[in-house]
Amino acid sequence: MTAIKAGTAIEHPAGLARHAASRVRGAVFSPVTVSIVAALILGAIILAGTGADPLTAYRSVLTGALGSEGIGDTLGECIPIVGLALALAIPLRAGLVNLGGDGQLVLGGLAAVSVGLYSPFPAPITVVLALLAGMLAGGLWAALAAVLETRCGVPLLVSSLLLSYPAMSFGSYIVRFPLLQQGSGIPQTDRLPAGVKLPEFAAGSGAGTGVSTGVVLIALAAIVYFVVDHRTAAGYEVRMTGLGARFAGYAGVDRARVTLRLMFASGSLAGLVGAIIVLGFPYRLVDGALTTPGYTWTGLLAALLAAASPLGTVAAGFFFSALTIGGFGMEQETAVPQQLTAVLQAVVILFLAVRGGVFRKDGWLRRLGSGSGARAEADPPPDPAPEPLESGAPARGDGGK
């Protein structure tokens, strides 16, 4: 026994070294790393073709996004992008695609600004009620798409996307008419009362950084998502449904219940993001301000790149936020159009799709598309009817006796 223990102790460090080396190789040659490096090389070739210095341009992107003057803007951009990425990753984990983020975002912001303008309670209570109202509005609207799929057979891709348009039109009407600020040439609501806002982080000099405490709420949402996904039975059911809806159905998972629950959670988080944006500067709802930047589609790309994993979704959302803000810094410093960062995003996605094989017959994206909205996947197929026995033929299993 002593010899065995000694031998194990001698071999243990070598095994740890091999395991660490394997993890390092996996990280270095992962599809994400290879795709980012390939995109940077292609971007450098494009920059060189325009006469710009690639190293200077990339340095300006990093400085503009992560420097002392740009990190605040990057964190502020993370609120909508990472928030929407997490919101859309929640159902995506189960193979369900929620394309109604814009509508849920607008309804959440509309509910928050309505509560903020007309609440009779003190400012701190009003802020909490506005956040809860935004979550409830977005969650109920997303749950309606789930009901249309589970009860009426409308695919979730279609129901969630089409429900976005009446939600956005309704929000536009409310902002332009009932809640329109009198005398304003811009379609926007009145400014929220004093104190009805999310506090901002202060810089070392005491001045505001422009980053609201909404960043903390998004971080808490990511932590809750991670804990539920990795440490609860509900998270296990969701992951099993995403890997195989038919297998989950055999195991007793109620797909209709899971769909409703996930869509409500997804819409609630999207509505929370809308409420956070409204409760930040300029402390009002401006028509089109929540949908024009395309937060929903950027968030969906981040969730798809990370395969809806909690930590990966946060990292991908931060990457896209840094590219967006860094692009403005690059344009100011080197006169290179900031649209180049959008090209880099597209190239990263393209290389990742090809490198990861998501478009192959057995790729993850094709499995996702085949599982989303398919009610039949959750229901086990009926047992085939027994074949009639011919006259005088022995029954199966009796060995012909």
Side-chain angles (χ1 to χ4, degrees):
M1 182 65 68
T2 304
I4 294 177
K5 287 184 177 180
T8 304
I10 292 174
E11 295 177 359
H12 186 59
L16 287 178
R18 288 194 298 269
H19 179 70
S22 176
R23 295 295 295 270
V24 170
R25 285 195 302 270
V28 171
F29 297 102
S30 66
V32 175
T33 304
V34 172
S35 301
I36 292 177
V37 171
L40 292 177
I41 294 175
L42 182 57
I45 296 174
I46 296 174
L47 285 170
T50 61
D53 183 6
L55 294 180
T56 303
Y58 285 153
R59 190 183 306 113
S60 63
V61 170
L62 290 176
T63 305
L66 305 179
S68 58
E69 297 181 358
I71 186 63
D73 294 334
T74 301
L75 291 177
E77 190 75 3
C78 281
I79 293 177
I81 292 181
V82 176
L84 263 297
L86 289 171
L88 302 181
I90 291 174
L92 199 63
R93 197 67 159 163
L96 305 171
V97 182
N98 176 16
L99 296 182
D102 282 340
Q104 297 147 25
L105 185 71
V106 168
L107 290 182
L110 181 63
V113 77
S114 301
V115 172
L117 289 174
Y118 298 108
S119 172
F121 299 102
I125 298 178
T126 299
V127 170
V128 175
L129 292 178
L131 293 173
L132 294 177
M135 294 178 65
L136 183 62
L140 291 178
W141 198 250
L144 178 59
V147 172
L148 289 176
E149 194 218 22
T150 57
R151 299 297 182 185
C152 303
V154 181
L156 191 63
L157 281 169
V158 177
S159 61
S160 61
L161 178 61
L162 294 185
L163 282 175
S164 248
Y165 293 100
M168 291 187 293
S169 299
F170 176 74
S172 180
Y173 167 77
I174 295 297
V175 171
R176 290 175 176 271
F177 294 99
L179 298 183
L180 179 66
Q181 182 185 25
Q182 298 300 323
S184 173
I186 302 175
Q188 62 184 9
T189 65
D190 289 321
R191 187 184 177 95
L192 293 174
V196 181
K197 62 179 181 179
L198 289 174
E200 292 183 359
F201 290 101
S205 59
T209 59
V211 181
S212 73
T213 52
V215 173
V216 178
L217 297 179
I218 298 301
L220 289 176
I223 293 173
V224 171
Y225 178 32
F226 176 83
V227 172
V228 172
D229 185 71
H230 286 75
R231 296 291 185 267
T232 65
Y236 177 77
E237 285 186 356
V238 170
R239 285 185 282 114
M240 289 302 100
T241 302
L243 292 174
R246 179 166 295 179
F247 171 79
Y250 276 119
V253 176
D254 187 350
R255 185 175 175 85
R257 177 178 59 84
V258 170
T259 301
L260 182 63
R261 184 178 63 198
L262 291 179
M263 287 298 293
F264 181 81
S266 175
S268 296
L269 186 50
L272 175 64
V273 173
I276 291 174
I277 296 175
V278 167
L279 292 173
F281 184 82
Y283 313 111
R284 65 175 84 234
L285 179 60
V286 182
D287 186 27
L290 298 180
T291 56
T292 301
Y295 296 134
T296 295
W297 299 107
T298 305
L300 180 61
L301 290 177
L304 285 172
L305 289 181
S309 66
L311 297 181
T313 299
V314 173
F318 181 81
F319 173 71
F320 285 147
S321 302
L323 274 183
T324 301
I325 300 301
F328 292 104
M330 179 183 65
E331 187 174 32
Q332 294 175 358
E333 185 174 340
T334 63
V336 176
Q338 60 93 15
Q339 282 78 10
L340 178 67
T341 58
V343 175
L344 290 179
Q345 292 181 19
V347 173
V348 168
I349 295 166
L350 180 61
F351 274 107
L352 185 61
V354 175
R355 179 72 172 81
V358 297
F359 295 119
R360 291 200 302 263
K361 184 177 181 180
D362 58 343
W364 179 78
L365 190 61
R366 286 186 177 270
R367 294 199 307 269
L368 174 65
S370 62
S372 176
R375 297 177 60 191
E377 287 292 324
D379 301 325
D383 294 329
E387 298 179 1
L389 297 178
E390 298 180 1
S391 176
R396 291 184 179 179
D398 61 358
K401 296 180 181 179

